[in-house]
Amino acid sequence: TAQLREANPMLGHRGCRLAITYPEICEMQTRAIFEAAASLRRRQQMVPIVEVMVPLVSHVEEFQILKEVVEKTALVVQQEQQMSFTYHIGTMMELPRACLQAEKLAQSAEFFSFGSNDLTQSTYGLSRDDASTFLPNYKAKGILEQDPFVTLDTDGVGELILLAVERGRKARSGMKMGICGEHAGDPSSIDFCDRIGLDYVSCSPWRVPLARLAAAQAALRGADRGDRGGGAK
């Protein structure tokens, strides 16, 4: 563990990078997911649809390497369990480079989940854990109207998300896309997600009632405007 210690782990050896260095981690996690799916099917006579997300991707090559690990592990588990199940492999969109490369990523990834916490950190170059020491001063001086870790910065971070949505669906029409993170429980952020066509929001359990209400309100506003909207769920 001492060899893995880093000065700034938020921008370090984590996410897909750690799994590429130590593929056994990806194999272990994937096996656990698929064995759980097999167990569910056997015990409850259900056919689960599994979604595996590869985190912190910036290069399409990173995704391809781990996609192969997931596919090979899924095949082994299905053979061991003597059953088949449906699964999809997508990626977390947490870095500006991933958003810029969305068209390439969408050629291999089946869905996108925008990790708004990390995407905000990496776009602003701010640490969510430390920014609270000076963000109030920024708000007081009119530099920022809202804390970007509470309400999505639609002009900056939101522009990257919109760009990724457009480029991703250019490569894969109707591609499933959503957002996860603290912003997924913020009403104004949910409204933005609906307007740009995201399909779902994923948030902390205690935020779910507010998120459901905000998503319904956003969908109604979209219907009034005649927007396509995402019908965020």
Side-chain angles (χ1 to χ4, degrees):
T1 57
Q3 292 179 340
L4 296 177
R5 188 179 299 277
E6 296 175 303
N8 187 358
M10 290 304 297
L11 293 175
H13 195 195
R14 68 185 185 99
C16 69
R17 304 162 189 166
L18 191 63
I20 288 171
T21 305
Y22 303 103
E24 59 270 24
I25 294 176
C26 183
E27 293 172 9
M28 174 185 64
Q29 293 176 329
T30 302
R31 171 174 282 276
I33 292 170
F34 289 129
E35 286 182 347
S39 176
L40 180 64
R41 180 171 183 178
R42 182 173 290 110
R43 287 186 294 105
Q44 300 189 17
Q45 299 298 308
M46 296 176 61
V47 183
I49 299 176
V50 179
E51 293 185 344
V52 179
M53 289 192 289
V54 180
L56 214 68
V57 166
S58 59
H59 283 262
V60 67
E61 289 81 6
E62 292 174 319
F63 181 80
Q64 292 283 26
I65 289 171
L66 295 180
K67 181 180 181 181
E68 290 180 8
V69 174
V70 173
E71 290 175 336
K72 289 179 180 178
T73 306
L75 180 61
V76 170
V77 172
Q78 289 180 94
Q79 290 173 341
E80 290 175 350
Q81 300 291 331
Q82 297 183 339
M83 67 173 64
S84 61
F85 40 78
T86 301
Y87 66 92
H88 303 287
I89 308 174
T91 182
M92 294 284 288
M93 303 291 278
E94 302 169 279
L95 299 172
R97 193 181 194 281
C99 294
L100 294 172
Q101 295 290 298
E103 187 173 351
K104 290 183 179 179
L105 283 167
Q107 293 172 15
S108 299
E110 296 177 83
F111 64 91
F112 287 165
S113 180
F114 293 94
S116 60
N117 294 339
D118 273 336
L119 187 55
T120 297
Q121 288 194 120
S122 57
T123 300
Y124 270 92
L126 289 176
S127 166
R128 183 167 62 132
D129 297 325
D130 302 317
S132 60
T133 59
F134 64 86
L135 281 183
N137 192 36
Y138 267 49
K139 291 173 66 176
K141 293 187 176 182
I143 299 172
L144 295 173
E145 292 184 7
Q146 303 288 340
D147 183 336
F149 294 108
V150 175
T151 299
L152 189 70
D153 165 33
T154 57
D155 292 333
V157 179
E159 185 71 16
L160 282 170
I161 294 175
L162 177 58
L163 183 148
V165 169
E166 292 173 345
R167 293 186 178 181
R169 287 182 174 152
K170 179 181 177 182
R172 187 182 292 269
S173 179
M175 186 179 191
K176 182 180 178 181
M177 300 186 186
I179 188 171
C180 63
E182 296 306 308
H183 302 99
D186 174 66
S188 63
S189 303
I190 291 173
D191 183 71
F192 173 79
C193 293
D194 185 79
R195 283 188 281 115
I196 66 172
L198 296 191
D199 300 300
Y200 69 90
V201 296
S202 175
C203 59
S204 305
W206 65 273
R207 289 178 178 266
V208 169
L210 177 60
R212 289 173 65 107
L213 176 61
Q217 292 172 333
L220 289 173
R221 284 192 293 269
D224 290 340
R225 293 190 302 263
D227 294 348
R228 180 182 74 84
K233 299 180 285 295

